[in-house]
Amino acid sequence: MFYSLRSRLMLMFSVLLIVPFTMGIYVLHRESSATIRDSIETSASQTMEQFASHATTLLTQVEDIGTQVMSNRITQDWAATQLGANNTTAERVLTKGKLREYFSSFAVNNSNGITLSAYTEEGGGLWTQDRGYLLTEWHSQFRQRNVRWTKAHRDMDQADQILTDRDVNSFLLPLVHLQSLREVGFVKINYPTRVLREAIENVNFGVTGRMYLLTRDGTSVLGQETEDRRGVLLSGLRAVRESDESAVSGVFPIRQDGQTYLLFYRKLPLQDWIIVGEVPEKELYRQIDDTSRTMLLLSGVLLLLGIIAAFFLSHGVTKPLSAMAKAMRYVERGDFARARKTMPAPTAGHSEIGYVTQTFETMTERLRHLIETEFETNLRRKNAEYKALLLQINPHFYNNTLEIIGGLAAMKREELVMDAAEALGKMMRYSLNLNSDLVKVREELDYMRDYLFILKLRYEDRLTVDFEADAQADDVRIPKFLLQPLIENAVKFSLERAENARVAWSARVEGERLLLTVRDNGPGMAPELIDSLLADARQGHPAGILDSGGSSIGLRNVIGRCRLMYGDRFALRIESALGEGTAIALQLPLVRS
């Protein structure tokens, strides 16, 4: 029995299957785990680097502001008045008023909510003249240890109550009269704590992992709650201090309370701060472990099944039939090249097998040719349909835009024609960029802002536009010129119905879908038109849009392009009431590349 063909094939098959299969699973598991681990750590480090870049930009701006304020003539005049013993009270009040006005105007014109104040030992703060700051922690560290970058705190010396009720971080700079080089006091530049705290708290590692901005002794710079992870953070900071001082960033494991944590760090040398991210290792690599266990279990089951199948099917005829079955699977997946390599060659004594093999090979070749021909034909047709839909938008849009600019010129508003032309130029550069039919949401929104700028010049107070953009949606990619027809229709029909047009549009991420919404106060849509548009969105063919006869061409164009791009993954919602306005929502799958 052992010397039978079946037994020998069984033995050979088992040996050739078990050894390579086991080695392949082991190598695949090890390499894939290492690759995924490196990818996860790199992603976490990149996230931390992005926050570090954001923080560095803000802190550099704050430092530059301090230098600018220090060298300003108004500041120097006030410093000179403070040093001059013979200056009258009126002169002191005048220079102080000018300095307050300068600081106030600076705060109003700054988009990050940065405020300024100045302090002297005798006069206290610039705004309140209160000398209570002498007892604060930040002042003690500044005078005793020259710590210029403070932790989060409340500043009582502010221009109004709203500013005193918010948490701020500060940069302290000695105020020196540049002519005499005598120190008068110091300037305090405050920036809202929330600017950095909101950004850092939006970063998550795993499920419970978080990122913190800490001083060298482990105190939170932004007032974050660190008590529950304080042991891990202090151990991590100790390890950072003991590591290579020249290293700016890195990652290493920390063992704490019987659990291993991964600690990522990034130094901010100028402020002597450290960005620290910590996460339990099992959370970060849980998916890898689950996948590994599943892979090993599945591999074991498949191996066992393969041996059992080999035992029953290892007959002389099973080899060519198995090879043909394998080739059929490749054909099923469309891999005709590998299918041809897998097909067994006809052998003597197996005339039926040879005939079947030869017939199957001929059929496979014909099927491959038919599929490739059909695929190429469909691809060319879909590409032509898409380009036709896109070209349908551009002439219609530019005609309307040029009419708006012509209207401004006719109204003799030359000072606005250049602004409008510049906005149009940006839009044309965007339109003529043919590198991709997909653009990021933020690029499309920038394009719409230029377009609405032109409309605003034309209609002035008759047009009110509100928009809301979710930061998570910025990098999602959508078809080009998707929003413009919707907003153009909203403005047009709203102005036809009422004296003023109110248009609102938004872009936000809901789960795994992107929701683009445009609302107006126009005349609304008839129920028959809504049903027609929804039917197009569900099952309409894009080619029919080209023959729409001018009926809702802008919206139908958008529906056709979305249908062509996303197929059944695209959904349309329309809420409309006659005389009350319309809300159109496009639900698109998330595409980030």
Side-chain angles (χ1 to χ4, degrees), residues 226-289:
T226 61
E227 196 60 34
D228 56 337
R229 296 291 174 86
R230 186 156 186 82
V232 176
L233 296 176
L234 290 178
S235 299
L237 291 175
R238 185 163 52 251
V240 170
R241 289 194 295 268
E242 294 171 356
S243 64
D244 184 6
E245 283 294 328
S246 63
V248 178
S249 61
V251 55
F252 49 82
I254 294 291
R255 190 72 179 173
Q256 185 78 18
D257 299 330
Q259 187 174 1
T260 301
Y261 294 81
L262 278 182
L263 189 136
F264 303 83
Y265 74 92
R266 168 67 160 80
K267 297 179 183 178
L268 298 179
L270 294 180
Q271 292 75 31
D272 201 25
W273 292 344
I274 302 178
I275 306 170
V276 178
E278 57 79 29
V279 59
E281 187 179 39
K282 65 179 182 181
E283 287 185 11
L284 199 61
Y285 299 142
R286 182 175 59 185
Q287 185 177 3
I288 298 178
D289 296 335

Side-chain angles (χ1 to χ4, degrees), residues 10 102 172-173 277 338 382 398 400 444 474 508 510 535 582:
M10 176 62 194
Y102 170 57
L172 306 177
L173 188 65
R338 297 182 68 178
K382 287 183 177 291
Y398 285 118
N400 291 346
E444 185 76 355
D474 283 350
R508 65 179 186 272
E510 293 185 352
T582 301

Side-chain angles (χ1 to χ4, degrees), residues 119-130:
Y119 296 81
T120 60
E121 297 292 341
E122 296 79 17
L126 177 69
W127 302 100
T128 62
Q129 293 81 51
D130 184 8

Side-chain angles (χ1 to χ4, degrees), residues 530-571:
I530 294 177
D531 293 339
S532 174
L533 294 172
L534 293 177
D536 285 342
R538 287 191 298 270
Q539 56 191 7
H541 194 278
I545 303 301
L546 297 175
D547 301 322
S548 61
S551 175
S552 302
I553 186 172
L555 179 53
R556 291 184 186 274
N557 184 291
V558 170
I559 293 173
R561 291 169 60 203
C562 290
R563 182 74 185 175
L564 183 64
M565 178 67 66
Y566 302 110
D568 293 334
R569 295 181 298 165
F570 163 66

Side-chain angles (χ1 to χ4, degrees), residues 350-524:
H350 294 85
S351 58
E352 294 85 1
I353 299 287
Y355 173 78
V356 172
T357 300
Q358 185 175 3
T359 303
F360 179 72
E361 182 176 0
T362 303
M363 181 188 66
T364 300
E365 185 62 26
R366 291 179 180 176
L367 182 60
R368 179 193 64 79
H369 177 72
L370 290 174
I371 289 177
E372 289 180 354
T373 302
E374 179 67 15
F375 177 80
E376 292 173 358
T377 302
N378 287 337
L379 188 62
R380 286 194 294 268
R381 176 177 58 80
K382 287 183 177 291
N383 189 54
E385 288 175 354
Y386 181 82
K387 295 300 182 182
L389 289 170
L390 195 59
L391 290 174
Q392 192 179 36
I393 284 291
N394 287 338
H396 182 59
F397 159 71
Y398 285 118
N399 180 62
N400 291 346
T401 304
L402 290 173
E403 286 182 359
I404 292 172
I405 295 178
L408 289 172
M411 295 165 62
K412 304 300 185 181
R413 304 187 69 178
E414 293 86 352
E415 72 283 0
L416 298 178
V417 170
M418 288 186 63
D419 294 338
E422 181 181 358
L424 179 59
K426 292 180 182 178
M427 295 158 65
M428 291 184 68
R429 284 193 297 272
Y430 177 84
S431 302
L432 295 175
N433 185 359
L434 303 178
N435 291 335
S436 174
D437 294 328
L438 290 177
V439 296
K440 295 181 179 179
V441 168
R442 66 168 176 265
E443 295 173 347
E444 185 76 355
L445 297 187
D446 290 340
Y447 172 81
M448 290 312 307
R449 289 189 182 96
D450 289 327
Y451 172 72
L452 289 169
F453 169 73
I454 295 176
L455 290 186
K456 189 68 176 176
L457 290 177
R458 176 65 180 86
Y459 297 111
E460 299 182 342
D461 294 337
R462 293 183 61 199
L463 175 60
T464 302
V465 179
D466 296 317
F467 67 91
E468 178 184 356
D470 185 354
Q472 297 181 12
D474 283 350
D475 293 327
V476 177
R477 293 186 178 270
I478 60 174
K480 206 171 187 180
F481 304 120
L482 199 61
L483 286 174
Q484 187 269 334
L486 303 183
I487 295 179
E488 181 181 5
N489 284 347
V491 174
K492 173 184 175 182
F493 291 118
S494 297
L495 290 175
E496 286 180 356
R497 171 182 172 269
E499 180 66 19
N500 296 314
R502 295 192 305 275
V503 177
W505 51 286
S506 65
R508 65 179 186 272
V509 174
E510 293 185 352
E512 294 300 319
R513 297 181 72 81
L514 173 67
L515 185 64
L516 302 176
T517 306
V518 177
R519 299 178 181 272
D520 62 52
N521 63 332

